[in-house]
Amino acid sequence: MAAVAVHQFAQCITCHAWSPDHSMVAFCPNNNEVHIYKLVNDKWEKVHVLQKHDQIVSGIDWSGKSNRIVSVSHDRNSYVWNREGPEWVPTLVILRLNRAALCVRWSPKENKFAVGSGAKTVCVCYYEQENNWWVSKVIRKKHDSSVTSVAWHPNNILLATTSTDGKCRVFSTFIKGVDTRESKTGSSSDPKFGEQIVQLDLSSSWAFGVKWSPSGNTLAYVGHNSMIYFVDDIGPSPLAQNVAFCNLPLRDVLFVSEKMVIGVGFDCNPMVFAADKSGLWSFIRFLGEKKESLSGPKSGSQFSEAFGKLYAQAKHGLSNDTVEPSKIQGAVHDNCINCIALLNKKGSQTKRFSTSGMDGKVVIWDLGNQQDLKEYL
């Protein structure tokens, strides 16, 4: 089994993030708090509760170098938490939003972070030493709906976003005085802050969960139409592929290598996608080995199963809320997976990641013992 540890922390988890040494995990238990648990003598103990937000916390990210936590919430606010002795002290972030903040990510150099919002904007925040607060520059009038996900390119300049308008976009976030000219790609005529590099109109539905590959050469994101999109050569003439599947939609994705992507979502079971030697992406299998998807024609078996369920409900008066046992057969999660995070330590060859979901579980997965997937790692 690929799942090596399952931890039931709460009834529901909105998002989670790990400390740099992976000894602590921070998550939102579907309320306005951030809970931090630490592994002590092989047991997880609650050591901190971060209380500053007024509404549900929608995004958390923990920086790997500076050991800072950034949180965003539906209350339109964001805080950067610094460890000072035994306590976590919040620092104000000036977002200037009139709608909920939905997602947040630190940049690779951790001198900036990006916040996507329901105000159709993206706030790129940086620290002002003189005032001891984080200020933001805003990318406006580019999105037609809420920004659901943000992802930084390894060069610390390009930022990818997805939105419920169905589009994926890539922007330049170069900020004078924060970024160095050497980190900019190309000549001095490169795009300025907020300039759109490319707009991808591949999805006909809401778009979620955008990520860059480790090299930054490939971009992946998912649509609410049960499709995942892979884009190479980001620029005027990008090369795009899409992979359709007959299962429930995904919510987030993660590159574990240049050739392998893990997708998680409403099917409660991580899905493995991989590229062959020619660069063609395809669905490989469920990581939790969902049995019914591996035997017989997929479309026929799923249609028959769905028809039989509806017939039984009509005949016997069963509720639509009844959980279908075969739906989660082989799956560790019992509800939608809404967050996935890489767990590899620097210099380590292991391929571990964690998932959290609406069932309140944090599950740690290890791909090292999956023999059929090693060729993609």
Side-chain angles (χ1 to χ4, degrees), residues 103 105 147-151 160-163 168 206-212 219-223 228-229 250-255 261-264 338 340:
C103 53
R105 281 291 179 270
V147 179
T148 58
S149 181
V150 294
T161 67
T162 52
S163 171
C168 177
W206 299 342
F208 296 99
V210 63
K211 290 291 190 306
W212 294 92
L219 186 69
Y221 69 100
V222 298
I228 183 170
Y229 306 92
L250 299 174
R251 284 298 309 270
D252 203 0
V253 293
L254 176 71
F255 276 91
V261 166
I262 305 295
V264 296
N338 49 28
I340 181 171

Side-chain angles (χ1 to χ4, degrees), residues 9 49 75 121 125-126 145 174 185 188 212 216 245-246 294 333 336 338 344 353-354:
F9 285 116
V49 177
D75 62 9
T121 61
C125 307
Y126 59 96
S145 191
F174 182 85
T185 57
S188 60
W212 294 92
F245 45 92
C246 57
L294 300 177
H333 283 282
C336 173
N338 49 28
N344 282 358
F353 65 91
S354 62

Side-chain angles (χ1 to χ4, degrees), residues 67-335:
N67 195 34
R68 293 182 298 215
I69 299 174
V70 59
S71 61
V72 297
S73 167
H74 289 181
D75 62 9
R76 302 170 294 170
N77 292 320
S78 173
Y79 295 96
V80 175
W81 304 82
N82 295 275
R83 185 74 179 267
E84 296 183 5
E87 301 297 328
W88 288 90
V89 179
T91 304
L92 180 65
V93 180
I94 310 298
L95 289 182
R96 297 174 293 176
L97 290 176
N98 59 7
R99 295 291 186 275
L102 301 178
C103 53
V104 63
R105 281 291 179 270
W106 284 105
S107 68
K109 292 186 177 180
E110 300 178 7
N111 58 346
K112 302 181 291 186
F113 61 87
V115 178
S117 73
K120 310 177 186 178
T121 61
V122 178
C123 301
V124 180
C125 307
Y126 59 96
Y127 186 65
E128 273 194 355
Q129 185 74 37
E130 300 80 11
N131 299 310
N132 189 31
W133 61 24
W134 292 75
V135 296
S136 64
K137 295 192 69 172
V138 184
I139 300 176
R140 304 179 187 273
K141 300 181 180 179
K142 302 294 184 179
H143 300 87
D144 298 322
S145 191
S146 300
V147 179
T148 58
S149 181
V150 294
W152 289 94
H153 190 276
N155 68 6
N156 206 67
I157 301 298
L158 298 182
L159 180 72
T161 67
T162 52
S163 171
T164 48
D165 62 13
K167 298 177 177 59
C168 177
R169 299 171 175 88
V170 178
F171 299 96
S172 169
T173 66
F174 182 85
I175 300 176
K176 187 176 180 180
V178 177
D179 298 301
T180 59
R181 183 65 61 178
E182 290 75 21
S183 65
K184 253 183 131 181
T185 57
S187 64
S188 60
S189 61
D190 280 339
K192 298 180 180 179
F193 177 87
E195 187 167 339
Q196 184 172 288
I197 307 300
V198 66
Q199 176 176 294
L200 303 168
D201 302 332
L202 303 177
S203 177
S204 59
S205 62
W206 299 342
F208 296 99
V210 63
K211 290 291 190 306
W212 294 92
S213 64
S215 67
N217 294 329
T218 305
L219 186 69
Y221 69 100
V222 298
H224 206 58
N225 54 352
S226 293
M227 296 187 75
I228 183 170
Y229 306 92
F230 300 93
V231 186
D232 296 312
D233 300 334
I234 297 297
S237 303
L239 302 176
Q241 301 179 45
N242 63 71
V243 177
F245 45 92
C246 57
N247 303 94
L248 298 179
L250 299 174
R251 284 298 309 270
D252 203 0
V253 293
L254 176 71
F255 276 91
V256 293
S257 71
E258 289 290 330
K259 295 182 179 180
M260 183 187 294
V261 166
I262 305 295
V264 296
F266 293 95
D267 232 358
C268 315
N269 206 339
M271 301 176 71
V272 181
F273 300 87
D276 58 19
K277 295 181 179 180
S278 64
L280 185 65
W281 288 87
S282 61
F283 169 63
I284 302 301
R285 66 175 174 88
F286 283 95
L287 202 55
E289 294 288 0
K290 184 185 280 189
K291 301 301 182 183
E292 72 273 17
S293 65
L294 300 177
S295 59
K298 292 184 180 179
S299 57
S301 61
Q302 287 192 347
F303 176 80
S304 301
E305 189 175 349
F307 183 81
K309 179 184 176 182
L310 291 174
Y311 179 78
Q313 289 175 353
K315 184 176 180 180
H316 302 290
L318 297 178
S319 169
N320 286 329
D321 296 331
T322 303
V323 177
E324 184 180 358
S326 60
K327 180 180 178 181
I328 57 175
Q329 182 177 352
V332 179
H333 283 282
D334 302 318
N335 209 328

Side-chain angles (χ1 to χ4, degrees), residues 340-369:
I340 181 171
L342 195 63
L343 272 174
N344 282 358
K345 292 184 179 180
K346 190 174 182 180
S348 173
Q349 296 299 317
T350 61
K351 294 294 182 180
R352 289 194 172 198
F353 65 91
S354 62
T355 57
S356 64
M358 297 178 65
D359 56 1
K361 296 178 182 177
V362 174
V363 180
I364 298 176
W365 306 79
D366 189 354
L367 298 176
N369 56 6

